[in-house]
mmCIF file of all heavy atoms in Angstrom:
data_model
loop_
_atom_site.group_PDB
_atom_site.id
_atom_site.type_symbol
_atom_site.label_atom_id
_atom_site.label_comp_id
_atom_site.label_asym_id
_atom_site.label_seq_id
_atom_site.Cartn_x
_atom_site.Cartn_y
_atom_site.Cartn_z
ATOM 1 N N LEU E 1227 15.048 -20.972 -2.221
ATOM 2 C CA LEU E 1227 14.189 -20.564 -1.117
ATOM 3 C C LEU E 1227 12.756 -20.467 -1.619
ATOM 4 O O LEU E 1227 12.488 -19.826 -2.643
ATOM 5 C CB LEU E 1227 14.641 -19.217 -0.554
ATOM 6 C CG LEU E 1227 16.072 -19.188 -0.028
ATOM 7 C CD1 LEU E 1227 16.449 -17.779 0.403
ATOM 8 C CD2 LEU E 1227 16.246 -20.163 1.120
ATOM 9 N N GLU E 1234 8.753 -19.897 -5.568
ATOM 10 C CA GLU E 1234 10.179 -19.612 -5.505
ATOM 11 C C GLU E 1234 10.422 -18.148 -5.178
ATOM 12 O O GLU E 1234 9.882 -17.259 -5.813
ATOM 13 C CB GLU E 1234 10.831 -19.968 -6.845
ATOM 14 C CG GLU E 1234 12.326 -19.821 -6.824
ATOM 15 C CD GLU E 1234 12.979 -20.239 -8.121
ATOM 16 O OE1 GLU E 1234 12.645 -21.318 -8.642
ATOM 17 O OE2 GLU E 1234 13.820 -19.472 -8.611
ATOM 18 N N GLU E 1236 13.937 -17.093 -4.201
ATOM 19 C CA GLU E 1236 15.323 -16.768 -4.533
ATOM 20 C C GLU E 1236 16.106 -18.047 -4.793
ATOM 21 O O GLU E 1236 15.830 -19.088 -4.208
ATOM 22 C CB GLU E 1236 15.931 -16.011 -3.352
ATOM 23 C CG GLU E 1236 17.310 -15.476 -3.571
ATOM 24 C CD GLU E 1236 17.819 -14.655 -2.382
ATOM 25 O OE1 GLU E 1236 17.084 -14.449 -1.406
ATOM 26 O OE2 GLU E 1236 18.983 -14.232 -2.453
ATOM 27 N N ASP E 1242 30.642 -22.439 -5.696
ATOM 28 C CA ASP E 1242 31.922 -21.880 -5.261
ATOM 29 C C ASP E 1242 32.051 -21.766 -3.751
ATOM 30 O O ASP E 1242 32.975 -21.134 -3.250
ATOM 31 C CB ASP E 1242 32.134 -20.499 -5.894
ATOM 32 C CG ASP E 1242 32.210 -20.571 -7.410
ATOM 33 O OD1 ASP E 1242 32.662 -21.615 -7.932
ATOM 34 O OD2 ASP E 1242 31.822 -19.598 -8.073
ATOM 35 N N GLU E 1247 30.963 -22.471 4.568
ATOM 36 C CA GLU E 1247 30.300 -21.263 4.067
ATOM 37 C C GLU E 1247 28.799 -21.506 3.858
ATOM 38 O O GLU E 1247 27.977 -20.639 4.153
ATOM 39 C CB GLU E 1247 30.945 -20.799 2.760
ATOM 40 C CG GLU E 1247 32.336 -20.232 2.941
ATOM 41 C CD GLU E 1247 33.066 -19.986 1.632
ATOM 42 O OE1 GLU E 1247 32.819 -20.722 0.640
ATOM 43 O OE2 GLU E 1247 33.881 -19.048 1.599
ATOM 44 N N ASN E 1249 26.970 -23.763 5.502
ATOM 45 C CA ASN E 1249 26.383 -23.842 6.842
ATOM 46 C C ASN E 1249 26.161 -22.444 7.423
ATOM 47 O O ASN E 1249 25.124 -22.171 8.027
ATOM 48 C CB ASN E 1249 27.256 -24.677 7.775
ATOM 49 C CG ASN E 1249 27.169 -26.153 7.480
ATOM 50 O OD1 ASN E 1249 26.190 -26.626 6.921
ATOM 51 N ND2 ASN E 1249 28.208 -26.885 7.841
ATOM 52 N N LEU E 1251 25.768 -19.619 5.703
ATOM 53 C CA LEU E 1251 24.703 -18.987 4.925
ATOM 54 C C LEU E 1251 23.329 -19.419 5.424
ATOM 55 O O LEU E 1251 22.451 -18.593 5.655
ATOM 56 C CB LEU E 1251 24.856 -19.343 3.441
ATOM 57 C CG LEU E 1251 23.695 -18.945 2.539
ATOM 58 C CD1 LEU E 1251 23.558 -17.422 2.454
ATOM 59 C CD2 LEU E 1251 23.867 -19.557 1.154
ATOM 60 N N TYR E 1258 16.945 -23.101 11.487
ATOM 61 C CA TYR E 1258 17.291 -23.633 12.797
ATOM 62 C C TYR E 1258 17.925 -25.007 12.634
ATOM 63 O O TYR E 1258 17.395 -25.853 11.909
ATOM 64 C CB TYR E 1258 16.031 -23.741 13.663
ATOM 65 C CG TYR E 1258 16.286 -24.346 15.017
ATOM 66 C CD1 TYR E 1258 16.886 -23.600 16.018
ATOM 67 C CD2 TYR E 1258 15.939 -25.663 15.287
ATOM 68 C CE1 TYR E 1258 17.135 -24.156 17.260
ATOM 69 C CE2 TYR E 1258 16.183 -26.222 16.527
ATOM 70 C CZ TYR E 1258 16.781 -25.466 17.507
ATOM 71 O OH TYR E 1258 17.026 -26.014 18.735
ATOM 72 N N ARG E 1259 19.049 -25.218 13.308
ATOM 73 C CA ARG E 1259 19.709 -26.527 13.263
ATOM 74 C C ARG E 1259 19.405 -27.277 14.552
ATOM 75 O O ARG E 1259 19.786 -26.840 15.642
ATOM 76 C CB ARG E 1259 21.214 -26.373 13.098
ATOM 77 C CG ARG E 1259 21.887 -27.712 12.942
ATOM 78 C CD ARG E 1259 23.353 -27.554 12.676
ATOM 79 N NE ARG E 1259 23.935 -28.864 12.493
ATOM 80 C CZ ARG E 1259 24.906 -29.139 11.659
ATOM 81 N NH1 ARG E 1259 25.427 -28.184 10.941
ATOM 82 N NH2 ARG E 1259 25.374 -30.347 11.552
ATOM 83 N N PRO E 1268 12.142 -25.146 18.632
ATOM 84 C CA PRO E 1268 11.491 -24.070 19.376
ATOM 85 C C PRO E 1268 10.408 -23.394 18.523
ATOM 86 O O PRO E 1268 10.545 -23.280 17.303
ATOM 87 C CB PRO E 1268 12.627 -23.090 19.672
ATOM 88 C CG PRO E 1268 13.869 -23.909 19.571
ATOM 89 C CD PRO E 1268 13.589 -24.963 18.549
ATOM 90 N N ALA E 1276 13.085 -16.948 9.291
ATOM 91 C CA ALA E 1276 12.229 -15.906 9.834
ATOM 92 C C ALA E 1276 12.138 -14.675 8.937
ATOM 93 O O ALA E 1276 11.528 -13.695 9.302
ATOM 94 C CB ALA E 1276 12.741 -15.509 11.214
ATOM 95 N N PRO E 1278 10.756 -12.114 6.562
ATOM 96 C CA PRO E 1278 9.359 -11.841 6.197
ATOM 97 C C PRO E 1278 9.122 -12.128 4.715
ATOM 98 O O PRO E 1278 9.930 -11.758 3.871
ATOM 99 C CB PRO E 1278 9.186 -10.351 6.489
ATOM 100 C CG PRO E 1278 10.401 -9.891 7.176
ATOM 101 C CD PRO E 1278 11.464 -10.924 7.003
ATOM 102 N N LEU E 1282 2.790 -13.486 2.949
ATOM 103 C CA LEU E 1282 2.155 -13.604 4.251
ATOM 104 C C LEU E 1282 1.381 -12.342 4.641
ATOM 105 O O LEU E 1282 0.909 -12.231 5.754
ATOM 106 C CB LEU E 1282 3.206 -13.901 5.326
ATOM 107 C CG LEU E 1282 3.890 -15.249 5.213
ATOM 108 C CD1 LEU E 1282 4.945 -15.395 6.304
ATOM 109 C CD2 LEU E 1282 2.892 -16.377 5.315
ATOM 110 N N PRO E 1295 -7.559 -10.901 -6.428
ATOM 111 C CA PRO E 1295 -6.883 -11.980 -7.166
ATOM 112 C C PRO E 1295 -7.258 -13.344 -6.590
ATOM 113 O O PRO E 1295 -7.531 -13.471 -5.399
ATOM 114 C CB PRO E 1295 -5.394 -11.712 -6.950
ATOM 115 C CG PRO E 1295 -5.304 -10.346 -6.376
ATOM 116 C CD PRO E 1295 -6.625 -10.008 -5.800
ATOM 117 N N LYS E 1297 -7.042 -17.014 -4.986
ATOM 118 C CA LYS E 1297 -6.120 -17.591 -4.001
ATOM 119 C C LYS E 1297 -5.436 -18.790 -4.626
ATOM 120 O O LYS E 1297 -6.016 -19.521 -5.423
ATOM 121 C CB LYS E 1297 -6.884 -18.009 -2.751
ATOM 122 C CG LYS E 1297 -7.407 -16.827 -1.995
ATOM 123 C CD LYS E 1297 -7.981 -17.251 -0.680
ATOM 124 C CE LYS E 1297 -8.439 -16.003 0.058
ATOM 125 N NZ LYS E 1297 -8.819 -16.287 1.416
ATOM 126 N N HIS E 1298 -4.164 -18.988 -4.242
ATOM 127 C CA HIS E 1298 -3.416 -20.143 -4.738
ATOM 128 C C HIS E 1298 -3.725 -21.356 -3.890
ATOM 129 O O HIS E 1298 -4.003 -21.253 -2.707
ATOM 130 C CB HIS E 1298 -1.906 -19.871 -4.678
ATOM 131 C CG HIS E 1298 -1.494 -18.764 -5.592
ATOM 132 N ND1 HIS E 1298 -1.378 -18.926 -6.937
ATOM 133 C CD2 HIS E 1298 -1.180 -17.468 -5.340
ATOM 134 C CE1 HIS E 1298 -1.008 -17.789 -7.487
ATOM 135 N NE2 HIS E 1298 -0.889 -16.889 -6.526
ATOM 136 N N HIS E 1303 4.116 -28.743 -3.063
ATOM 137 C CA HIS E 1303 4.745 -28.662 -4.379
ATOM 138 C C HIS E 1303 5.073 -30.076 -4.842
ATOM 139 O O HIS E 1303 5.595 -30.876 -4.069
ATOM 140 C CB HIS E 1303 6.007 -27.799 -4.259
ATOM 141 C CG HIS E 1303 6.589 -27.436 -5.572
ATOM 142 N ND1 HIS E 1303 7.342 -28.282 -6.316
ATOM 143 C CD2 HIS E 1303 6.492 -26.294 -6.293
ATOM 144 C CE1 HIS E 1303 7.728 -27.687 -7.426
ATOM 145 N NE2 HIS E 1303 7.227 -26.478 -7.425
ATOM 146 N N ASP E 1305 7.458 -31.309 -6.496
ATOM 147 C CA ASP E 1305 8.867 -31.684 -6.472
ATOM 148 C C ASP E 1305 9.379 -31.927 -5.054
ATOM 149 O O ASP E 1305 10.522 -32.306 -4.869
ATOM 150 C CB ASP E 1305 9.726 -30.613 -7.122
ATOM 151 C CG ASP E 1305 9.451 -30.514 -8.599
ATOM 152 O OD1 ASP E 1305 8.958 -31.480 -9.193
ATOM 153 O OD2 ASP E 1305 9.742 -29.459 -9.179
#
Side-chain angles (χ1 to χ4, degrees):
L1227 301 176
E1234 185 177 313
E1236 186 176 357
D1242 297 330
E1247 290 170 330
N1249 286 336
L1251 170 66
Y1258 177 76
R1259 184 176 182 145
L1282 294 178
K1297 291 188 178 189
H1298 295 283
H1303 191 282
D1305 293 337

